[in-house]
Amino acid sequence: MNKGQELKLIRKAAGGDRDSAEQLVRAHQGSLYGYILRISGQPHTSEDVVQEAFVRVLTNLDRFDPRFRFSTWLFTIGRRVYFNMCEKKRPCSDSERVDGWRDNREAATCRVDRDDTKAVCRDMLQAELMRLPSDQREVVVLFHQHEWPISLISEHTGMPVGTVKSHLHRARLRLREWILHRVETPGVETLKFQEAWR
Amino acid sequence: MKSRSGSGIGSGMGGGKPSKDDGRAHRIRDRLMNECLDSIVGGDAGMARAMLRASGEVAPGADRDVAEMRRLLKPLTKVAAAPDLAFRILAETHRRRPFLPSFARHKISVWRVALAASFLGLITGGYLISESGGSGQGLGEGLGSEVALASVSPAVAIQSSVFESALVEPSIAVSLSPSLRRPLLALGEAGSLTPARRWGVSGGTGDSEVSVAGGERNAGGMASEDWGVGVGVGVGVGIGAIASRVGASSDGLELGGSSMLGRPTSLPTSSLLWSDGANTSLLKTNPLPACLIDSHIGERVGGRVGGRVGGPAFGRPVMRWVNPGFGTTFQGTFGIPAERGFGPSAGPGLPSLPRLDLDSLLAPK
């Protein structure tokens, strides 16, 4: 969907058109869900955040500034909703998050065979991702998953560009260190990972 | 950092106890890797290649680091398939701010409204009348004839207003009130331009309005007589979520006033219009559908005598669509002429549309 089409949909949806609103939701729910899932590690939380973010966006579409990207606005609201939710709930240990991620993969969509080496890689990466501080995790997800430019990430997170870069660089080094350490630890997952790696 | 030799993964990092030079080399390679990845993901792979070539001697094996890191992060680029939440989202959105059917979303232009008003005016109230016993400064006299083409009933009152629509700025509010003894030509007599202006007070919005009233009649504060084109200026004040408008124009007395409490929940709106008498509207916009009680009583001050002594009274069923949620308000009132009292009648031999006489209907039989 190009920007013109998207703007047209936004205008119609702002005027109360259900079909246009639905098209907007379908076009963006996947990326928002992926983003929140990566930073939260919890599928149920992600679903709640996605729903709440979309509802807020759709009921305030008349405030949308067409100079900006819709997805950026949506992600900003989603991020705010997520952090607000975290503030309210709190009990989110990293282990819960990783488990949540695994539950999610099995329950929701992925339905990955545990023997699938790619799934092992994804699991391992997600597990290590969850060990990162939330700032670093978010920056990595936005940069590598959504391929946002650093300037946009800086705007989105409210961090200076230099801070975003340093978070990104540190996060990569940590991830590499942790994953390589894990790969060297004997185990079934390691073999799968090495197999996929080669 | 642990030794990475032997596994094939990270083997470029070397092994054994790191020396001071090794540490420096590591830092250079790490930095190079990061810069290269930034360039690659940023869409400038050429820059990354150039950096790697240039640093071949200082940081040998950096290209392997970059490739390794890219492989490692590759699973991130696969977006997890999301469950379909569209239904849940739309249902919740609809609960908080209802979607509108297509007919209610249809925007009606000023000209369409004017055209519809003219048409309805013609079919419901407009016919040739013969002024009998008229005296004073009637509009009929302005024509220099005792027979005037007139809309004898405020049978049609259409108010269309689109407020607070950020996407359609300036929004337009139009009021058309063809009323008693107003020539048909004056159907477009009153219009209001309402530039939507936001007031940043507690999320409320208000509208300041400049209303322009023209028509073949006198305007308030203007010296022109019959058939002059008058301009009345309405003064609009918006504070917080409250917007109010007061306008005065026309000969005799016409006073327009409305207050509006804005989104997200529209509260009662009232408007007072005196034109050829008194016209009072009380609008309650929430809950939907709203009702509008509209009465038209009295006689134009200094108006014709003998034309409508006692004055007609009208009750109008009203259709009204309001969408407070999405920032658009549309309201339309379509009057069905119902007349009580002593009204004008078509002169002998002049075509006339049937009228509903409330007195005869309500009178005890």
Side-chain angles (χ1 to χ4, degrees):
Chain A
M1 187 190 305
N2 63 35
K3 199 172 178 187
Q5 289 171 323
E6 192 172 75
L7 273 180
K8 208 180 273 182
L9 283 182
I10 291 168
R11 277 206 193 96
K12 281 185 176 177
D17 182 17
R18 188 193 165 96
D19 291 342
S20 303
E22 186 172 354
Q23 284 184 58
L24 278 176
V25 171
R26 292 202 187 281
H28 292 282
Q29 65 175 351
S31 57
L32 180 62
Y33 180 81
Y35 165 60
I36 301 293
L37 185 61
R38 287 284 183 200
I39 62 172
S40 71
Q42 292 189 319
H44 301 303
T45 304
S46 307
E47 286 181 22
D48 291 346
V49 169
V50 169
Q51 177 178 330
E52 182 57 26
F54 264 112
V55 170
R56 285 192 195 180
V57 162
L58 291 176
T59 50
N60 290 287
L61 270 180
D62 50 337
R63 294 183 193 169
F64 172 65
D65 186 342
R67 286 174 302 171
F68 301 105
R69 291 201 317 191
F70 179 72
S71 58
T72 313
W73 188 50
L74 177 67
F75 273 45
T76 305
I77 291 177
R79 180 178 189 265
R80 204 175 302 146
V81 170
Y82 169 64
F83 284 123
N84 286 346
M85 218 173 255
C86 286
E87 283 293 311
K88 280 180 193 163
K89 289 185 181 172
R90 279 282 175 199
C92 278
S93 69
D94 284 347
S95 59
E96 279 175 350
R97 285 175 177 159
V98 176
D99 290 345
W101 162 262
R102 288 187 174 143
D103 290 347
N104 160 58
R105 281 190 50 256
E106 283 157 14
T109 52
C110 293
R111 283 276 160 217
V112 177
D113 183 354
R114 298 302 300 172
D115 289 338
D116 187 346
T117 49
K118 283 181 184 169
V120 173
C121 290
R122 269 206 300 270
D123 269 358
M124 196 179 282
L125 180 62
Q126 179 64 29
E128 300 305 344
L129 206 55
M130 296 312 297
R131 289 175 66 190
L132 290 173
S134 60
D135 287 349
Q136 292 184 10
R137 183 167 59 236
E138 188 179 14
V139 169
V140 167
V141 169
L142 287 175
F143 189 77
H144 284 286
Q145 183 175 351
H146 298 279
E147 297 184 351
W148 281 20
I150 286 175
S151 56
L152 186 58
I153 298 174
S154 156
E155 214 171 275
H156 176 73
T157 55
M159 290 187 272
V161 169
T163 310
V164 171
K165 273 193 161 186
S166 79
H167 275 322
L168 187 60
H169 293 182
R170 275 191 211 133
R172 280 186 197 133
L173 295 178
R174 281 187 182 185
L175 279 175
R176 185 177 67 175
E177 188 180 336
W178 290 339
I179 291 177
L180 294 182
H181 172 69
R182 201 159 160 171
V183 165
E184 284 168 1
T185 309
V188 178
E189 288 202 344
T190 304
L191 291 173
K192 296 285 180 196
F193 188 80
Q194 285 177 347
E195 188 186 318
W197 188 259
R198 290 187 191 105
Chain B
M1 190 178 290
K2 282 200 149 206
S3 165
R4 296 186 181 103
S5 59
S7 68
I9 301 164
S11 54
M13 300 296 287
K17 192 179 178 182
S19 68
K20 197 177 176 183
D21 285 345
D22 283 347
R24 188 168 165 270
H26 269 278
R27 278 197 300 276
I28 292 173
R29 280 173 60 172
D30 287 345
R31 188 164 171 199
L32 192 59
M33 179 201 72
N34 271 320
E35 293 295 338
C36 287
L37 278 176
D38 288 353
S39 299
I40 291 168
V41 178
D44 194 358
M47 168 69 90
R49 273 197 295 274
M51 278 194 287
L52 286 172
R53 263 201 305 275
S55 60
E57 286 184 13
V58 190
D63 52 344
R64 262 175 298 170
D65 286 353
V66 172
E68 179 184 277
M69 199 66 213
R70 285 183 74 188
R71 274 202 299 267
L72 205 136
L73 293 173
K74 200 178 173 188
L76 263 187
T77 58
K78 302 247 164 82
V79 178
D84 187 4
L85 300 170
F87 182 76
R88 269 169 61 180
I89 290 167
L90 294 172
E92 180 60 19
T93 306
H94 185 68
R95 194 183 66 77
R96 291 194 203 174
R97 186 172 278 192
F99 292 108
L100 292 177
S102 59
F103 76 88
R105 290 197 310 272
H106 187 61
K107 290 189 179 79
I108 299 178
S109 71
V110 176
W111 293 111
R112 281 187 192 174
V113 171
L115 200 66
S118 308
F119 179 69
L120 285 171
L122 273 173
I123 63 168
T124 56
Y127 58 95
L128 289 169
I129 60 168
S130 169
E131 293 284 341
S132 57
S135 65
Q137 300 98 28
L139 292 177
E141 286 187 352
L143 279 175
S145 164
E146 286 207 339
V147 178
L149 183 65
S151 169
V152 296
S153 160
V156 182
I158 293 181
Q159 289 184 306
S160 165
S161 48
V162 180
F163 289 105
E164 300 174 9
S165 171
L167 295 171
V168 192
E169 282 185 3
S171 57
I172 293 170
V174 178
S175 299
L176 296 171
S177 303
S179 61
L180 284 171
R181 278 165 281 159
R182 196 66 49 77
L184 284 176
L185 291 174
L187 275 170
E189 73 210 358
S192 301
L193 273 177
T194 307
R197 187 170 300 167
R198 295 185 175 280
W199 298 76
V201 180
S202 56
T205 56
D207 299 284
S208 68
E209 300 185 2
V210 176
S211 60
V212 179
E216 292 109 340
R217 58 187 172 132
N218 284 348
M222 294 192 68
S224 60
E225 287 297 322
D226 286 344
W227 303 101
V229 176
V231 177
V233 179
V235 180
V237 180
I239 301 171
I242 302 169
S244 63
R245 177 173 72 89
V246 178
S249 64
S250 174
D251 62 338
L253 176 65
E254 176 171 332
L255 193 60
S258 67
S259 66
M260 181 172 221
L261 301 182
R263 19 190 321 267
T265 50
S266 296
L267 295 173
T269 296
S270 64
S271 66
L272 299 171
L273 292 168
W274 281 272
S275 175
D276 297 342
N279 184 347
T280 306
S281 300
L282 294 171
L283 311 176
K284 190 167 188 321
T285 62
N286 197 20
L288 299 174
C291 69
L292 183 147
I293 303 163
D294 199 324
S295 64
H296 196 111
I297 55 171
E299 176 71 339
R300 183 173 61 178
V301 177
R304 304 171 187 190
V305 178
R308 292 179 184 274
V309 176
F314 297 93
R316 299 182 206 157
V318 167
M319 284 183 284
R320 180 176 166 76
W321 297 278
V322 178
N323 172 27
F326 282 93
T328 305
T329 302
F330 170 77
Q331 65 185 60
T333 64
F334 297 92
I336 294 175
E339 196 168 307
R340 187 173 64 200
F342 167 43
S345 58
L350 290 170
S352 171
L353 291 172
R355 308 296 301 248
L356 186 62
D357 188 343
L358 274 187
D359 274 348
S360 62
L361 282 176
L362 298 175
K365 293 181 180 175

